[in-house]
Every structure is written in structure tokens, then in C-alpha cells.
Amino acid sequence: FTLTIFPVLLVLAITVSYLNPSLWVLFMAVSSLKGLSYALNEPCKEMLYMVTSDSIKFKAKAWIDVFGSRCAKGFGSIITGSSAGNPKMLVTYGSLTIFIISICLLGLSVIVGKEFRKLVRSGKIVGEVEDLSSCWEGLELSNRRVEI
């Protein structure tokens, strides 16, 4: 449930900003969303790593921090640049694009939340090797092949 709060509030802020596109409303929406992102969304996102191995956590965080965030910023710049200095066009196309992305984020948060609950209940760790003996057997077989 907590994972879906931020996307719901994001959709709400986009809707209010679209219906009343004043600077004051935009300022309040951005300020509120920045605070909620730091106070609510980031801790929820970090909790999702509880059910992953250290290797998976390292790889996922690196991808999100390096590639994912840069792509999101680049995509936002494309939307802003395509408005060609026309604020009305920016509000129209930017709001529609962000609304669609926010709905997708809401859907993904529901799916990820359900999967997280299943993993927590089962005690399974994503990326963890379940049977180390099979790994050692494979290693011994590969060493024998090298010796022959």
C-alpha cells in the first residue's frame, strides 16, 4: 500500500496542475512532491532491496542511479525543448506525457508491491544461490575437463 501513495499523489498533483496551471499551484505541487519523494518514496524504494541479494542490489542501484535517472532527465529535457518556449504547449503536452507515465508508475507499484509481499512471506531472496553444492560440482567438473 505504501508503495502506491506517491504515484497516487503524483497523478493528483498533475491533474490539479493541469486544471489550474498557475505558477503558485505548480510551485506547491513540485514542493510537495519533492518532499514526499524524499520522505516517502525513497525509503519505500530502499525497502524493496530487502528481498534481493547484495549482488542484485548493487547492480540494480547502479543501473537506476546511472542510466535510469539520466534517461528520465533527458526525456524531460526533450519534452521541455519541444515546446519551443510556448508555455501553453508545454503544459498540454508535458502534463499528458507525465500523466501517462504516472499511471504506468502506479500500475507498476501495485505489481511490485504484490511481488514484494509474496517474497517476504516466502522468505526467498532474489538472486541468492539456493544450493551451493551444485555450484561446487559444476566447478569440479570444469576443473577435471581442464586437467584432462
Side-chain angles (χ1 to χ4, degrees), residues 8 12 17 22-23 26 30-31 34 36 47 60 80 82-83 89 91 101 104 111-112 114 131 133 146:
V8 167
L12 181 67
S17 297
S22 70
L23 189 57
L26 291 173
V30 170
S31 299
K34 282 284 190 183
L36 285 170
M47 282 177 46
T80 305
S82 66
S83 70
M89 191 168 128
V91 168
I101 291 171
C104 292
I111 293 167
V112 168
K114 286 179 182 177
D131 185 14
S133 63
V146 172

Short mmCIF file of all heavy atoms in Angstrom, two decimals, residues 8 12 17 22-23 26 30-31 34 36 47 60 80 82-83 89 91 101 104 111-112 114 131 133 146:
data_model
loop_
_atom_site.label_atom_id
_atom_site.label_comp_id
_atom_site.label_asym_id
_atom_site.label_seq_id
_atom_site.Cartn_x
_atom_site.Cartn_y
_atom_site.Cartn_z
N VAL A 8 -0.06 7.86 -6.58
CA VAL A 8 -1.42 8.41 -6.50
C VAL A 8 -1.35 9.93 -6.30
O VAL A 8 -2.06 10.69 -6.97
CB VAL A 8 -2.23 7.74 -5.36
CG1 VAL A 8 -3.49 8.51 -5.06
CG2 VAL A 8 -2.56 6.31 -5.73
N LEU A 12 -2.58 12.99 -8.79
CA LEU A 12 -3.41 14.06 -8.25
C LEU A 12 -2.78 15.43 -8.51
O LEU A 12 -3.46 16.37 -8.95
CB LEU A 12 -3.65 13.86 -6.75
CG LEU A 12 -4.51 14.89 -6.07
CD1 LEU A 12 -5.94 14.81 -6.58
CD2 LEU A 12 -4.47 14.69 -4.56
N SER A 17 -2.60 20.53 -11.38
CA SER A 17 -1.77 21.48 -12.12
C SER A 17 -2.31 21.70 -13.54
O SER A 17 -2.19 22.81 -14.08
CB SER A 17 -0.33 20.98 -12.20
OG SER A 17 0.22 20.90 -10.92
N SER A 22 -1.42 27.59 -12.77
CA SER A 22 -0.82 28.83 -12.29
C SER A 22 0.54 28.52 -11.68
O SER A 22 0.82 27.38 -11.29
CB SER A 22 -1.73 29.51 -11.26
OG SER A 22 -1.75 28.76 -10.07
N LEU A 23 1.35 29.53 -11.58
CA LEU A 23 2.69 29.35 -11.02
C LEU A 23 2.62 28.91 -9.56
O LEU A 23 3.41 28.08 -9.11
CB LEU A 23 3.48 30.66 -11.15
CG LEU A 23 4.96 30.59 -10.81
CD1 LEU A 23 5.65 29.55 -11.67
CD2 LEU A 23 5.61 31.95 -11.00
N LEU A 26 1.75 25.17 -9.42
CA LEU A 26 2.91 24.39 -9.83
C LEU A 26 3.98 24.38 -8.74
O LEU A 26 4.60 23.35 -8.47
CB LEU A 26 3.49 24.92 -11.13
CG LEU A 26 2.62 24.71 -12.37
CD1 LEU A 26 3.21 25.44 -13.57
CD2 LEU A 26 2.47 23.23 -12.68
N VAL A 30 5.19 20.93 -6.98
CA VAL A 30 6.59 20.48 -7.06
C VAL A 30 7.19 20.40 -5.66
O VAL A 30 7.90 19.44 -5.33
CB VAL A 30 7.41 21.42 -7.98
CG1 VAL A 30 8.89 21.13 -7.87
CG2 VAL A 30 6.96 21.27 -9.42
N SER A 31 6.93 21.40 -4.82
CA SER A 31 7.47 21.38 -3.45
C SER A 31 6.95 20.17 -2.68
O SER A 31 7.71 19.49 -1.99
CB SER A 31 7.08 22.66 -2.71
OG SER A 31 7.62 23.77 -3.34
N LYS A 34 8.51 16.91 -4.11
CA LYS A 34 9.93 16.76 -3.74
C LYS A 34 10.04 16.26 -2.30
O LYS A 34 10.83 15.36 -2.01
CB LYS A 34 10.67 18.10 -3.88
CG LYS A 34 11.03 18.46 -5.29
CD LYS A 34 12.19 17.64 -5.76
CE LYS A 34 12.68 18.18 -7.08
NZ LYS A 34 13.76 17.38 -7.61
N LEU A 36 7.72 14.65 -0.54
CA LEU A 36 7.19 13.29 -0.46
C LEU A 36 8.16 12.27 -1.08
O LEU A 36 8.26 11.15 -0.59
CB LEU A 36 5.84 13.20 -1.16
CG LEU A 36 4.68 13.80 -0.39
CD1 LEU A 36 3.44 13.88 -1.28
CD2 LEU A 36 4.37 12.99 0.86
N MET A 47 13.39 -0.18 0.69
CA MET A 47 12.85 -1.39 1.32
C MET A 47 12.71 -2.53 0.33
O MET A 47 12.80 -3.70 0.70
CB MET A 47 11.50 -1.09 1.97
CG MET A 47 11.60 -0.37 3.28
SD MET A 47 10.02 0.05 4.01
CE MET A 47 9.08 -1.44 3.84
N ALA A 60 21.32 -3.34 -9.51
CA ALA A 60 20.07 -2.59 -9.73
C ALA A 60 20.25 -1.12 -9.36
O ALA A 60 19.83 -0.22 -10.09
CB ALA A 60 18.93 -3.20 -8.93
N THR A 80 10.54 19.49 -22.64
CA THR A 80 10.66 20.94 -22.44
C THR A 80 11.17 21.63 -23.70
O THR A 80 10.65 22.68 -24.10
CB THR A 80 11.62 21.24 -21.27
OG1 THR A 80 11.15 20.55 -20.11
CG2 THR A 80 11.70 22.72 -20.99
N SER A 82 10.88 20.62 -26.79
CA SER A 82 9.94 20.54 -27.91
C SER A 82 8.81 21.56 -27.80
O SER A 82 8.10 21.80 -28.78
CB SER A 82 9.36 19.13 -28.01
OG SER A 82 8.57 18.86 -26.88
N SER A 83 8.64 22.16 -26.64
CA SER A 83 7.59 23.17 -26.51
C SER A 83 7.98 24.48 -27.17
O SER A 83 7.14 25.35 -27.38
CB SER A 83 7.27 23.42 -25.03
OG SER A 83 8.35 24.08 -24.41
N MET A 89 1.76 25.08 -24.71
CA MET A 89 2.08 23.80 -25.33
C MET A 89 2.81 22.89 -24.33
O MET A 89 2.55 21.69 -24.26
CB MET A 89 2.95 24.04 -26.56
CG MET A 89 3.14 22.84 -27.43
SD MET A 89 3.86 23.35 -29.00
CE MET A 89 5.24 22.26 -29.08
N VAL A 91 2.50 22.92 -21.04
CA VAL A 91 1.53 22.44 -20.05
C VAL A 91 0.69 21.32 -20.66
O VAL A 91 0.47 20.28 -20.03
CB VAL A 91 0.63 23.60 -19.54
CG1 VAL A 91 -0.55 23.06 -18.77
CG2 VAL A 91 1.44 24.57 -18.70
N ILE A 101 2.89 8.54 -17.81
CA ILE A 101 4.00 7.91 -17.08
C ILE A 101 3.59 7.63 -15.63
O ILE A 101 3.92 6.58 -15.07
CB ILE A 101 5.26 8.79 -17.16
CG1 ILE A 101 5.80 8.78 -18.59
CG2 ILE A 101 6.34 8.31 -16.18
CD1 ILE A 101 6.91 9.78 -18.84
N CYS A 104 1.39 4.61 -15.41
CA CYS A 104 2.23 3.41 -15.55
C CYS A 104 2.98 3.13 -14.24
O CYS A 104 3.09 1.98 -13.81
CB CYS A 104 3.23 3.57 -16.69
SG CYS A 104 2.46 3.60 -18.32
N ILE A 111 1.95 -3.88 -8.88
CA ILE A 111 2.52 -5.19 -9.25
C ILE A 111 3.74 -5.50 -8.39
O ILE A 111 3.87 -6.59 -7.83
CB ILE A 111 2.88 -5.22 -10.75
CG1 ILE A 111 1.61 -5.16 -11.59
CG2 ILE A 111 3.70 -6.45 -11.09
CD1 ILE A 111 1.86 -4.87 -13.06
N VAL A 112 4.64 -4.53 -8.25
CA VAL A 112 5.86 -4.74 -7.46
C VAL A 112 5.52 -4.95 -5.98
O VAL A 112 6.13 -5.77 -5.31
CB VAL A 112 6.83 -3.54 -7.65
CG1 VAL A 112 7.96 -3.58 -6.65
CG2 VAL A 112 7.38 -3.54 -9.06
N LYS A 114 2.79 -6.34 -4.76
CA LYS A 114 2.29 -7.71 -4.60
C LYS A 114 3.43 -8.72 -4.63
O LYS A 114 3.46 -9.65 -3.83
CB LYS A 114 1.29 -8.03 -5.72
CG LYS A 114 -0.05 -7.36 -5.55
CD LYS A 114 -0.99 -7.71 -6.69
CE LYS A 114 -2.31 -6.97 -6.53
NZ LYS A 114 -3.21 -7.23 -7.67
N ASP A 131 21.36 -23.70 -3.74
CA ASP A 131 22.10 -24.90 -3.41
C ASP A 131 23.54 -24.73 -3.87
O ASP A 131 23.85 -24.85 -5.04
CB ASP A 131 21.44 -26.11 -4.10
CG ASP A 131 22.09 -27.42 -3.70
OD1 ASP A 131 22.85 -27.43 -2.71
OD2 ASP A 131 21.83 -28.43 -4.38
N SER A 133 26.06 -26.64 -3.26
CA SER A 133 26.73 -27.89 -3.63
C SER A 133 26.69 -28.10 -5.14
O SER A 133 27.65 -28.60 -5.72
CB SER A 133 26.10 -29.08 -2.91
OG SER A 133 24.75 -29.23 -3.30
N VAL A 146 39.66 -29.38 -17.55
CA VAL A 146 40.89 -28.65 -17.82
C VAL A 146 42.09 -29.54 -17.61
O VAL A 146 43.06 -29.49 -18.36
CB VAL A 146 40.98 -27.39 -16.90
CG1 VAL A 146 42.31 -26.73 -17.03
CG2 VAL A 146 39.87 -26.43 -17.26
#
